[in-house]
Amino acid sequence: MRDHFELQAYDAMGRLGELTVPRADVTVETPALLPVINPHHETIDPGRLAEFGAEILITNSYVIYGSDEVREPALEDGLHDLLDFDGAIMTDSGSFQLAEYGEIDVNTTEILEFQREIGSDIATPVDIPTPPDADREQVGREMETTQARLETAADFDAGEMLLNAPVQGATYPDLREQAARDAYATGLDVFPIGAVVPLLNDYRYGEMVDAVAGAKRGLGEDAPVHLFGAGHPMMFALAVAAGCDLFDSAAYALYARDGRYLTVRGTEHLDELEHFPCECPVCSARTPAELRDRPTHERTKLLAEHNLHVSFGEMRRIKQAIRQGNLLELVETRARAHPTMLDGYRALLDHAEQLERTDPASKDAFFYLSGESAARPEVRRHHDRLARLSPPADLLLATDPDAHAGADADVWAVEPPFGPVPRGLDQTYPLTAELPDRLDDRAYRAAARGVNRLAETSDAAITLVDDGWPASALDLLAEGVDIDTTVEE
């Protein structure tokens, strides 16, 4: 059992937790964002990051290792003094450079020793970041190399320094699961899901979700999960709902240098803005035109500050959503920002069985926002629970059961997307859901599956009152379910 990661609350697969980093004597609240700091190109003074809410940052130990300018100061004074940062510091190993250039001049033991010497709090071995579209043979071969390096790291004398165990597997969920299971067995501490940046750059959010879900199946619940290179606030809620706890962002600085302005709905170009859609200190104190008139270095710094404010603001919003039990509503709201984000949300709901294992059985509210809501884990759970019921021998299902009080059969409500609702349960979660007056066909099709579930697991003679159900839902009903179009409302 990993005693450095304590879980406090769940919503879907998203969770609130505390990651204890002993070498820094810091406890990081998760989900957490790690700003990426390049010691050669500091867009923002790392000593100011606490102003934005940063409790942890990440920098690249291989860059420091190969730099005459910062290597000796790092060895002599330590990373915390070099970067003027009191929180926890994670270091990458050079795997990014390996992926970019094909080779690096350091091995796992050497880079771990260097990370320990410069005072890293969470260190990383040299894994092989396999690109998304590699064939299975290459993926399997490189997974074996990565696993061997993780086992080397497991034997390394790290002291109080935590160690990352990157999970590879490209776009093969089963290989992600295998890699995660093998990484978890090493006893290492934090589990970054690697080589997803190409997916994120190409907006392949559905495949990203499938990769994360595969990795999560191979990891224990006490495993903190880091989504390497995921730095755009638009996708934080989706990734948290899939079970990720840590994110590292270079986007705040890289986008700022290119004049790009982050929002939770996507990216804007400063040159195209007439008004700032944000209330952060940067945006509330000036107009886009005023910012465009600033010298380049000052404009870049202020844009980076805005980007960090937006990113940390979204992370706080996600934490509150988990507390209130409406994380999936936030995910769905974000999914409407871009078609590929919607792909990601639909991919997440394809893993409803996995989501349902940790999703709380009771929350404050269920808001039906679109057809995707019909696939949420709460609906699946209700359908599963229908198998526990013993309905009356003759059962009439109606949208308004009070209108059929004189019927010969017992009357239950039927509520899209849930299906049959026994009397007395209509005030329990999720049957208290807030529903729009105009439901889409997917809500009715989900309800039809609920009716079928009850029919399959009981001997009741079930009749459904058709008071305007779409044909696509009625066609799904099992043969034993009668449809009554004549009962008066």
Side-chain angles (χ1 to χ4, degrees):
M1 184 73 177
R2 289 162 176 80
D3 58 5
H4 59 276
F5 188 51
E6 181 179 345
L7 295 172
Q8 299 176 331
Y10 270 99
D11 194 9
M13 282 192 288
R15 61 256 189 107
L16 293 174
E18 290 185 344
L19 175 65
T20 300
V21 186
R23 197 175 193 191
D25 193 23
V26 167
T27 298
V28 176
E29 183 181 57
T30 62
L33 178 63
L34 291 70
V36 174
I37 295 296
N38 184 331
H40 293 297
H41 304 286
E42 291 180 0
T43 306
I44 291 180
D45 177 3
R48 292 190 54 214
L49 287 175
E51 298 175 18
F52 300 88
E55 297 176 313
I56 182 172
L57 62 76
I58 183 170
T59 192
N60 193 310
S61 67
Y62 184 71
V63 170
I64 298 171
Y65 178 85
S67 169
D68 294 335
E69 179 183 349
V70 294
R71 177 188 173 102
E72 290 308 315
L75 287 168
E76 182 175 346
D77 301 323
L79 271 181
H80 289 271
D81 284 348
L82 177 70
L83 300 179
D84 188 27
F85 185 70
D86 294 331
I89 298 177
M90 179 186 291
T91 46
D92 199 359
S93 62
S95 296
F96 174 78
Q97 284 75 15
L98 180 64
E100 288 291 307
Y101 308 116
E103 61 180 358
I104 56 175
D105 58 355
V106 68
N107 61 36
T108 285
T109 300
E110 291 169 340
I111 200 65
L112 288 178
E113 287 175 347
F114 181 70
Q115 289 173 87
R116 183 183 60 193
E117 289 172 9
I118 63 177
S120 174
D121 301 309
I122 308 174
T124 309
V126 181
D127 61 310
I128 306 294
T130 309
D133 298 310
D135 60 59
R136 286 184 70 95
E137 182 179 356
Q138 177 186 345
V139 176
R141 183 173 63 252
E142 294 182 353
M143 278 172 52
E144 290 180 4
T145 301
T146 291
Q147 181 62 21
R149 294 176 181 180
L150 298 189
E151 291 169 4
T152 296
D155 292 334
F156 179 76
D157 181 11
E160 289 192 320
M161 183 172 67
L162 300 181
L163 294 175
N164 281 326
V167 176
Q168 297 297 334
T171 43
Y172 301 94
D174 61 320
L175 296 184
R176 288 281 184 179
E177 181 177 352
Q178 177 187 328
R181 186 173 293 110
D182 292 342
Y184 186 74
T186 63
L188 295 177
D189 305 298
V190 180
F191 299 86
I193 299 175
V196 295
V197 171
L199 295 177
L200 301 177
N201 288 344
D202 291 340
Y203 300 95
R204 294 162 66 179
Y205 293 114
E207 290 170 272
M208 180 273 291
V209 167
D210 289 340
V212 171
K216 291 287 291 187
R217 289 193 292 272
L219 296 171
E221 286 302 314
D222 60 348
V225 175
H226 180 174
L227 191 60
F228 255 149
H232 200 300
M234 178 175 70
M235 51 76 62
F236 287 167
L238 174 65
V240 169
C244 297
D245 307 292
L246 302 170
F247 303 82
D248 62 277
S249 174
Y252 77 94
L254 296 175
Y255 282 33
R257 291 171 198 158
D258 195 32
R260 290 184 286 174
Y261 177 98
L262 294 181
T263 79
V264 295
R265 294 182 56 82
T267 307
E268 305 286 350
H269 287 269
L270 179 63
D271 289 344
E272 298 174 357
L273 288 174
E274 293 298 324
H275 304 278
F276 283 136
C278 174
E279 303 81 20
C280 80
V282 173
C283 298
S284 58
R286 55 189 60 80
T287 67
E290 291 170 341
L291 187 53
R292 286 193 290 268
D293 287 340
R294 298 292 181 93
T296 300
H297 72 280
E298 186 178 348
R299 181 173 64 247
T300 298
K301 176 177 172 294
L302 289 169
L303 269 179
E305 289 185 14
H306 157 79
N307 291 343
L308 275 180
H309 279 300
V310 169
S311 299
F312 278 100
E314 180 70 353
M315 203 58 73
R316 290 190 294 272
R317 192 174 294 112
I318 289 167
K319 291 176 183 178
Q320 184 63 25
I322 296 173
R323 288 285 185 200
Q324 294 180 325
N326 54 23
L327 177 60
L328 289 179
E329 281 84 356
L330 178 60
V331 174
E332 184 159 351
T333 300
R334 297 290 178 256
R336 302 299 156 184
H338 195 282
T340 57
M341 283 294 298
L342 186 56
D343 286 339
Y345 181 45
R346 288 172 174 168
L348 180 70
L349 295 176
D350 285 342
H351 300 284
E353 181 177 358
Q354 198 169 336
L355 293 174
E356 199 271 335
R357 293 174 193 154
T358 54
D359 194 56
S362 181
K363 305 179 188 179
D364 288 343
F366 180 113
F367 294 97
Y368 189 99
L369 301 179
S370 73
E372 278 70 38
S373 299
R376 282 179 49 169
E378 293 95 333
V379 177
R380 179 190 180 93
R381 184 183 297 121
H382 179 72
H383 290 175
D384 289 343
R385 289 178 175 178
L386 288 171
R388 306 177 189 174
L389 300 178
S390 298
D394 292 308
L395 179 62
L396 184 69
L397 299 176
T399 302
D400 183 5
D402 291 337
H404 302 279
D408 293 335
D410 288 279
V411 184
W412 284 5
V414 60
E415 187 78 64
F418 303 103
V421 179
R423 290 186 180 273
L425 294 183
D426 57 335
Q427 295 305 307
T428 62
Y429 183 86
L431 303 174
T432 53
E434 294 286 345
L435 305 173
D437 290 335
R438 299 183 181 183
L439 285 165
D440 50 77
D441 286 9
R442 279 177 287 184
Y444 286 95
R445 292 199 295 270
R449 288 190 288 271
V451 173
N452 290 346
R453 179 66 168 162
L454 186 64
E456 292 165 1
T457 57
S458 74
D459 295 326
I462 299 175
T463 300
L464 172 71
V465 176
D466 174 14
D467 55 357
W469 280 50
S472 63
L474 296 176
D475 289 344
L476 289 178
L477 292 172
E479 289 186 7
V481 177
D482 291 329
I483 302 173
D484 193 334
T485 60
T486 63
V487 178
E488 294 184 1
E489 299 277 334

